[in-house]
Amino acid sequence: MERPRTLARAFGVAAAAILAAVIAVLVSSRSTASSSAADGVQDLPASPASALRVPAPTVLSGPAAAHWASVRHAVSARASPSETARLVAPLAATTPEGTANIVLVLGRARDRAGRLWVHVRLPVLPNDQTGWVPRQALGVYGVVETHLVIDLQRLTATLLRNGRPIFQAPIGAGRPEWPTPRGDFYIRDRLTRYKSAFYGPLAFGTSARSSVLTDWPGGGFIGIHGTSAPDLLPGRVSHGCVRLRNRDILELGRSMPVGTPVTIR
């Protein structure tokens, strides 16, 4: 009887030892797994960069930039920013050439009721007139960084970008009896429909108007266009329009957008 009891005790001790070993292995495995999981979190790749990035602010236009806007519907320009101010001139939505009518923006102001008005240069006679129109009558603003200077004494056309000359060419201007008007204007439209030997391959309509006579169609507006007689340039040869050699008007057309201010001096 003693021997079976001894064997039973031995088996019990062995079983306890095996169980203790199994428990130790399980605890060790869980500890290792936890450690591995923690290490795994540290080893994950960094989060990808956000797809939404806000860039540093940049200047939309230089100090020499000008603004223009199209006329959305017929409106009356006033002498001051008020509905009761004196009427200066009516503005149509289209030009005589059928293009969108635009005005050069000179400033902004609000009336007593808080309504926003825009001070604009007008394509009317007498030249150099300005007026005020309600902001809602105009489209979105366009921005240009160019400025065309017509020198009637030197008979040159110079295009500036941000105040620096990028183009210059000799011109033909109006004869003494049909002078090219002096003043501040702007490029009102760009046209190719008048492409011909006389007008050349490209023409620009300006807001300047002749009070005498002009060879530019549509109500006496001064044009800038090519010529069939380049040998006459520079010279006073036109009825008021500004003529350039055909290669020069094409080069000018590559750099001068609609809305560009024009100074004729």
Side-chain angles (χ1 to χ4, degrees), residues 47-240:
S47 299
S50 173
L52 177 62
R53 292 187 178 183
V54 180
T58 58
V59 178
L60 293 179
S61 56
H67 296 79
W68 60 271
S70 60
V71 180
R72 295 176 57 192
H73 55 76
V75 66
S76 296
R78 307 267 176 187
S80 62
S82 170
E83 290 182 341
T84 60
R86 175 178 58 86
L87 175 65
V88 177
L91 281 174
T94 57
T95 68
E97 295 79 36
T99 62
N101 194 13
I102 71 168
V103 288
L104 194 66
V105 175
L106 303 176
R108 304 162 189 82
R110 292 188 181 275
D111 59 20
R112 293 182 178 179
R115 188 182 185 189
L116 183 62
W117 290 73
V118 181
H119 191 204
V120 301
R121 191 172 299 286
L122 300 172
V124 298
L125 283 173
N127 287 307
D128 276 347
Q129 285 200 79
T130 65
W132 292 84
V133 296
R135 176 65 186 92
Q136 63 184 12
L138 304 177
V140 297
Y141 293 134
V143 181
V144 294
E145 297 178 334
T146 46
H147 187 166
L148 183 66
V149 178
I150 304 295
D151 191 322
L152 297 180
Q153 182 176 358
R154 298 181 179 180
L155 292 174
T156 58
T158 304
L159 184 66
L160 309 175
R161 179 179 291 141
N162 287 323
R164 297 181 179 181
I166 60 172
F167 167 87
Q168 188 173 76
I171 63 167
R175 299 176 185 178
E177 63 269 34
W178 303 310
T180 301
R182 300 173 187 265
D184 292 314
F185 310 102
Y186 57 93
I187 298 297
R188 199 174 177 211
D189 48 20
R190 175 191 174 105
L191 302 166
T192 56
R193 74 181 68 172
Y194 297 104
K195 182 177 180 180
S196 65
F198 182 78
Y199 288 112
L202 177 63
F204 290 96
T206 77
S207 62
R209 299 180 71 167
S210 173
S211 57
V212 183
L213 180 66
T214 181
D215 57 4
W216 185 251
F221 285 98
I222 298 300
I224 301 173
H225 57 78
T227 180
S228 57
D231 294 341
L232 297 180
L233 308 185
R236 305 186 189 281
V237 296
S238 78
H239 292 81

